[in-house]
Amino acid sequence: WPGLFQIYFGNRNLVLLEDVRKAFLRLGYSVSKITNLKEGRLPCIYLTKKADILRYSQEIGFGNSKHRNKLQSLNLNRGINS
C-alpha cells in the first residue's frame, strides 16, 4: 500500500525476539506484539510508525545498502518533526 512503511524483524528464536521487542519498548519505540506464532510461520515484530522508522535509521541504521537506498527513495523526512 502506498504510504505504508514498516521494518520487519523475524526470528524463530522467541526468546531473542522478545528481548529485541523489550529493548525497543525501553528505548521508546512503538513496536508490535510478536505475530505469526502459528506452526510453519516465522515469528516477527514490526516497526510501523514513520517517526520510529526514521529514528531507527538514524540511531541504529541498516547494514544492507538496499535498505538504506529504499529509505532514501521513500523520503520519510517529509512531515516528521525532529
Side-chain angles (χ1 to χ4, degrees):
W1 292 298
L4 177 65
F5 308 99
Q6 62 185 15
I7 298 176
Y8 165 93
F9 299 91
N11 198 297
R12 294 207 185 279
N13 184 332
L14 290 177
V15 174
L16 175 64
L17 201 54
E18 184 61 34
D19 286 346
V20 170
R21 183 177 184 278
K22 287 178 184 176
F24 275 127
L25 291 171
R26 286 187 185 129
L27 292 170
Y29 286 88
S30 297
V31 64
S32 71
K33 293 180 180 179
I34 297 176
T35 61
N36 290 342
L37 292 173
K38 295 180 182 177
E39 189 168 333
R41 309 272 319 254
L42 182 65
C44 62
I45 57 175
Y46 296 92
L47 289 177
T48 56
K49 289 189 174 183
K50 287 184 184 181
D52 284 342
I53 294 171
L54 179 62
R55 182 176 161 209
Y56 176 91
S57 71
Q58 293 171 341
E59 293 181 354
I60 300 168
F62 299 98
N64 187 324
S65 61
K66 176 181 78 172
H67 299 305
R68 285 193 305 267
N69 295 340
K70 185 174 183 179
L71 184 68
Q72 289 173 348
S73 72
L74 294 174
N75 195 13
L76 286 181
N77 293 325
R78 292 183 315 194
I80 297 177
N81 298 327
S82 300

